[in-house]
Amino acid sequence: MEVTQIVRVIVDETKFTPEFLAEFAKAITNYDSVDEHICYLARMHVRAEIEPYSRLEGYGLLHDFGIDFEIISEADRLLQEGDAA
């Protein structure tokens, strides 16, 4: 099965201060930009590991941190023998 999902991650970029980025890098992992955080959050969301009202280490309550998600499109198809996975 191939599943494709496009998700828009909405963030309040004012929350991603240099202080926040430094603390996050020290405590969790080093993402150098807001875009790297957005990619991480998108991956977590499409895996159904987080929702807007989830608490995530480093961010706290996502909604309170100005993070939300919007599914733009979803598609799935059954792979046939010989299809590239």
Side-chain angles (χ1 to χ4, degrees):
M1 177 64 68
E2 177 184 85
V3 178
T4 303
Q5 189 176 67
I6 298 173
V7 61
R8 175 179 291 135
V9 181
I10 301 135
V11 299
D12 177 354
E13 290 193 27
T14 66
K15 304 278 188 173
F16 292 84
T17 64
E19 296 79 16
F20 167 80
L21 294 172
E23 185 62 33
F24 193 92
K26 187 170 74 173
I28 311 293
T29 191
N30 188 21
Y31 292 142
D32 294 324
S33 69
V34 174
D35 287 344
E36 287 180 293
H37 283 270
I38 289 171
C39 288
Y40 169 68
L41 293 163
R43 286 191 305 272
M44 295 290 286
H45 183 72
V46 299
R47 292 179 189 146
E49 294 179 25
I50 58 173
E51 293 295 327
Y53 290 94
S54 296
R55 178 178 299 279
L56 185 60
E57 187 175 0
Y59 303 94
L61 288 173
L62 297 180
H63 188 309
D64 291 349
F65 200 78
I67 297 169
D68 202 357
F69 305 94
E70 178 184 354
I71 302 299
I72 303 299
S73 69
E74 290 182 277
D76 54 58
R77 73 179 181 100
L78 186 59
L79 295 174
Q80 303 298 316
E81 189 173 321
D83 284 351

